[in-house]
């Protein structure tokens, strides 16, 4: 039956379902990806794809593809240092981001200075090492592989007894990590659960891929969403999203494709994708690619068009 839909403002952009399988009508919820034959793969050896130039980058950590899309290589990054933290700016407005930022942080033994991103949502991915994250007057243990969520107006600190590496995403975007003199005790008690561990039982299938939601609405984050996923040896058809996306390559090798450029990606790289950028991330290794993604604004990483 027809569904009446009233836009909330003149500039609203939405994706309506046309496959009739959505559970969030009239919007697309990504269900089309799991229809038989619907998730098409692309042939990297086709005549059109063979004509696409590979770009190799230079000494800069940024290797730019079409639009504002780029690949950031941590092995070329210049690190800054504040107290117990060394960090690199991976995604920021000055690099072309409009909606989200990301910082790669290495923590050494001790407690970091307090960090406050003001009214932004903050999403952490614990890449290595065991940490204790203080948020306001609460503390949480976070193992490697887990995600963490910090609500607007909360301050946080990172503690470790050894070393740890963490990706910090701030949404909306921020140019640098705002360290503050003293931590605030404020903790938003409406959302007491903040750490989401890796759990293979929570994997969801999307065609031949699978992913697990980490930070999402289940911990109170409705617009900044983090997931961990696996891409098997394959190349998806080029597609777009309405959200801005950061993809951390955890393991494996791949090729990132945009309209007229392509570039290799490897473990430790981060791909920045602006909204609506046509792209395809090909997994070129037999073991596939493991990735962590942060999307903003968005709550469902399987919606594409
Ligand atoms: S869920 Fe129907 S088109 Fe996406």
């Amino acid at each position: 039956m027809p569904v009446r839909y009233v836009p909330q403002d003149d500039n609203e952009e939405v994706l309506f379902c046309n496959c009739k399988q959505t559970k969030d009508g009239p919007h697309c919820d990504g269900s089309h990806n799991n229809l038989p034959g619907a998730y098409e793969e692309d042939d990297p050896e086709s005549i059109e794809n063979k004509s696409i130039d590979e770009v190799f980058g230079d000494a800069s950590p940024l290797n730019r593809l079409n639009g504002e899309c780029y690949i950031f290589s941590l092995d070329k990054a210049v690190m800054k240092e504040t107290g117990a933290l060394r960090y690199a700016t991976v995604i920021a407005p000055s690099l072309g981001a409009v909606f989200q930022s990301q910082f790669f942080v290495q923590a050494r033994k001790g407690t970091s200075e307090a960090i406050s991103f003001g009214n932004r949502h903050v999403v952490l991915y614990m890449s290595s090492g065991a940490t204790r994250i203080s948020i306001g007057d609460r503390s949480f243990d976070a193992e490697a592989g887990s995600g963490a969520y910090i609500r607007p107006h909360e301050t946080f600190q990172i503690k470790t007894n050894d070393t740890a590496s963490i990706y910090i995403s701030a949404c909306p975007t921020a140019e640098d990590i705002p360290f503050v003199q003293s931590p605030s005790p404020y903790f938003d008690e409406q959302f007491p659960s903040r750490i989401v561990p890796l759990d293979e039982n929570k994997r969801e299938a999307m065609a031949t891929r699978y992913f697990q939601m980490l930070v999402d609405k289940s911990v109170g984050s409705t617009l900044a969403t983090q997931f961990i996923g696996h891409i098997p040896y394959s190349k998806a058809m080029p597609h777009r999203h309405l959200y801005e996306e950061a993809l951390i390559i955890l393991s494996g090798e791949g090729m990132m494709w945009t309209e007229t450029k392509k570039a290799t990606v490897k473990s430790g790289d981060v791909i920045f994708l602006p909204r609506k950028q046509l792209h395809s991330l090909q997994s070129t290794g037999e073991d596939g690619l493991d990735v962590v993604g942060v999307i903003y604004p968005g709550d469902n990483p399987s919606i594409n068009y």
Side-chain angles (χ1 to χ4, degrees):
M1 297 294 290
V3 174
R4 179 180 167 83
Y5 185 76
V6 181
Q8 291 178 6
D9 64 63
D10 287 349
N11 299 316
E12 185 175 328
E13 289 179 294
V14 295
L15 295 173
F16 289 129
C17 173
N18 201 30
C19 77
K20 320 291 185 196
Q21 302 300 313
T22 182
K23 296 176 191 67
D24 184 29
H27 299 96
C28 167
D29 71 350
S31 295
H32 60 265
N33 290 309
N34 284 326
L35 291 174
Y39 200 85
E40 287 179 81
E41 292 194 358
D42 193 19
D43 178 8
E45 298 299 323
S46 68
I47 294 170
E48 296 79 16
N49 282 337
K50 277 193 150 178
S51 70
I52 290 182
D53 289 333
E54 183 170 352
V55 289
F56 295 96
D58 51 25
S60 155
L62 260 65
N63 191 9
R64 289 197 176 272
L65 285 84
N66 290 107
E68 297 293 332
C69 177
Y70 63 79
I71 297 160
F72 188 99
S73 295
L74 282 177
D75 49 9
K76 298 179 187 171
V78 177
M79 307 287 280
K80 296 183 247 184
E81 193 153 352
T82 300
L85 301 184
R86 294 176 74 231
Y87 69 99
T89 302
V90 177
I91 297 170
S94 58
L95 301 176
V98 178
F99 292 93
Q100 63 171 292
S101 292
Q102 190 178 87
F103 307 92
F104 172 71
V105 169
Q106 290 176 326
R108 61 170 183 262
K109 185 174 178 174
T111 302
S112 75
E113 292 188 22
I115 298 170
S116 171
F117 279 97
N119 60 359
R120 297 173 179 84
H121 299 266
V122 179
V123 175
L124 311 183
Y125 176 69
M126 310 303 169
S127 175
S128 70
T131 49
R132 193 159 174 80
I133 306 295
S134 298
I135 307 173
D137 58 5
R138 310 287 170 90
S139 285
F140 302 85
D141 288 323
E143 298 294 326
S146 50
Y149 175 50
I150 290 120
R151 303 257 320 151
H153 306 296
E154 293 175 337
T155 60
F156 67 101
Q157 287 175 282
I158 299 165
K159 300 180 190 177
T160 179
N161 288 328
D162 192 1
T163 58
S165 55
I166 299 142
Y167 292 84
I168 301 177
S169 297
C171 310
T173 193
E175 192 58 45
D176 204 347
I177 298 179
F179 294 98
V180 293
Q181 289 295 314
S182 50
S184 156
Y186 170 68
F187 179 84
D188 189 342
E189 296 187 13
Q190 261 195 296
F191 302 95
S193 174
R194 302 301 185 84
I195 308 294
V196 187
L198 194 59
D199 183 351
E200 291 185 4
N201 296 319
K202 292 188 177 161
R203 285 178 180 170
E204 297 172 40
M206 190 181 93
T208 58
R209 305 163 170 223
Y210 58 77
F211 62 91
Q212 180 204 329
M213 303 302 283
L214 291 174
V215 171
D216 69 353
K217 42 187 156 283
S218 66
V219 289
S221 185
T222 54
L223 288 176
T225 302
Q226 181 195 52
F227 63 94
I228 184 164
H230 179 78
I231 303 171
Y233 178 77
S234 62
K235 180 181 187 298
M237 285 298 278
H239 55 275
R240 296 177 165 89
H241 306 288
L242 280 185
Y243 46 74
E244 205 172 75
E245 182 169 29
L247 276 174
I248 304 162
I249 308 290
L250 298 179
S251 67
E253 297 156 5
M255 182 73 77
M256 184 66 189
W257 302 68
T258 53
E259 289 92 338
T260 63
K261 296 180 182 177
K262 65 181 180 184
T264 57
V265 293
K266 61 183 185 314
S267 170
D269 290 348
V270 176
I271 301 166
F272 171 68
L273 272 166
R275 292 178 76 229
K276 301 184 180 180
Q277 171 63 54
L278 188 72
H279 68 280
S280 170
L281 175 56
Q282 176 191 6
S283 170
T284 56
E286 291 294 335
D287 293 336
L289 278 172
D290 290 305
V291 300
V292 164
V294 176
I295 65 173
Y296 182 82
D299 63 0
N300 183 341
S302 62
I303 298 176
N304 52 23
Y305 69 101

